[in-house]
Amino acid sequence: MLKADGGGSRMLININSDEMTTIFTLLQGIITELETNATPSIEKLANIDYYIEGKAKKAMDVYAEANQKVMDLYDNYSRAAALVIDILNTMMQADEAIAEQIIAKLGV
């Protein structure tokens, strides 16, 4: 668990590294599912011109918007995964810095 005080003694941040890696793994699973299943199907749907003309033509344009919303979902999960990776990298750098301080103090 990483604990940081933000440079002062009032603010304490506790991060559970096991939970962070679990979150990243779950996000990656969602991203993979969207990449392998949703995206190809959405692209196929976008290329089907089944409703050519009629009173509901404008209403049918909603499908293109819905497809875009799913693609936005993919972008949001990808950003969330990138943020979790940044947190994990920061945790690893903090651990490395602490290890270097200990080694320096021990004179090893």
Side-chain angles (χ1 to χ4, degrees), residues 35-51:
E35 285 175 344
T36 57
N37 294 318
T39 301
S41 295
I42 287 170
E43 289 171 355
K44 288 177 186 175
L45 276 173
N47 293 324
I48 296 174
D49 194 19
Y50 61 92
Y51 192 83

Side-chain angles (χ1 to χ4, degrees), residues 3 19 23 31 58:
K3 293 183 178 187
E19 292 297 330
I23 290 168
I31 291 167
K58 188 170 183 166

